[in-house]
Amino acid sequence: MMGMIVDNTHTRFGKFRIWLVIGTLVNSVVFVLLFHSFNLSGTALYLYVSVMYILYGMTYTIMDVPYWSWLPNLTNDPHEREKVSIIPRFFASLAGFSVATFGLYIVNYLNKTAGESNLYAENGYTIFAIIIAVIFIVTIGITVFNVKEESTVGVSAEKTSLKQTFHVIVKNDQLLAFIGLLLTFNLCTQIAKSFAVYYFKCVCHR
């Protein structure tokens, strides 16, 4: 649905850039709030975390879909497209691996610097989330201000309905295989990260 929204966006800033700005700013705020409990506990905390986590995924989509949709529009050369798409994927994987591997070490350091006796205190998570949000805003800002995009004011394009979109997905066996591969990869990645965090906690508590 976000793809359809982007496709029907027509502004003097283009159709992608505006959503990168909106999505990044909103998602950054939600991301920081996700790691701040406001002293909630019990059922209220569970509800708060559930709502914020869902909002995080939805607001990230506002930025993520136009970002990856923008890449194919930067060049008509398929080889150049492949080279361009590899760069953000490499850094995204590197960032995910770095946070999963060293994230708790950084949280511990931030808590120790803040004078917290509990190295797993919420304060460290919140500060780390703010640091990541700032890096997120700066890097997307570099993209927004340096990558050119033509205005889409007055541009008419063929509209695709949600029903047509599902029809295309179901009929495209290669796309279905890619979706299955992507889901499997993400599932395995999340499981591996979860074990890494669990192992780190076990080692620290010994």
Side-chain angles (χ1 to χ4, degrees), residues 128-183:
F128 192 28
I130 292 173
I131 293 172
I132 292 175
V134 170
I135 294 173
F136 184 33
I137 293 172
V138 170
T139 51
I140 290 296
I142 293 172
T143 302
V144 167
F145 286 108
N146 288 278
V147 179
K148 296 181 179 179
E149 182 184 353
E150 295 183 5
S151 172
T152 53
V153 174
V155 176
S156 58
E158 183 180 349
K159 295 183 179 181
T160 304
S161 66
L162 196 60
K163 183 179 179 180
Q164 289 175 312
T165 303
F166 281 118
H167 181 74
V168 170
I169 293 174
V170 172
K171 294 294 182 180
N172 191 328
D173 58 342
Q174 295 180 3
L175 180 57
L176 286 174
F178 177 75
I179 292 173
L181 179 65
L182 197 61
L183 290 173

Side-chain angles (χ1 to χ4, degrees), residues 35-36 107 110-111 114-116 120-129:
F35 290 93
H36 189 70
V107 169
L110 292 172
N111 277 320
E116 295 279 358
Y120 293 103
E122 178 184 319
N123 192 37
Y125 286 94
T126 305
I127 295 173
F128 192 28

Side-chain angles (χ1 to χ4, degrees), residues 59-147:
T59 54
Y60 188 79
T61 300
I62 297 175
M63 183 285 307
D64 194 49
V65 170
Y67 181 84
W68 292 107
S69 300
W70 196 358
L71 288 177
N73 290 271
L74 297 178
T75 175
N76 292 321
D77 186 348
H79 297 292
E80 195 171 19
R81 284 182 183 178
E82 291 176 5
K83 291 179 181 179
V84 171
S85 63
I86 288 174
I87 297 172
R89 291 189 184 279
F90 170 78
F91 282 103
S93 299
L94 179 63
F97 175 79
S98 299
V99 171
T101 306
F102 306 108
L104 288 178
Y105 287 102
I106 297 173
V107 169
N108 286 358
Y109 173 78
L110 292 172
N111 277 320
K112 188 182 294 184
T113 304
E116 295 279 358
S117 57
N118 178 13
L119 297 183
Y120 293 103
E122 178 184 319
N123 192 37
Y125 286 94
T126 305
I127 295 173
F128 192 28
I130 292 173
I131 293 172
I132 292 175
V134 170
I135 294 173
F136 184 33
I137 293 172
V138 170
T139 51
I140 290 296
I142 293 172
T143 302
V144 167
F145 286 108
N146 288 278
V147 179

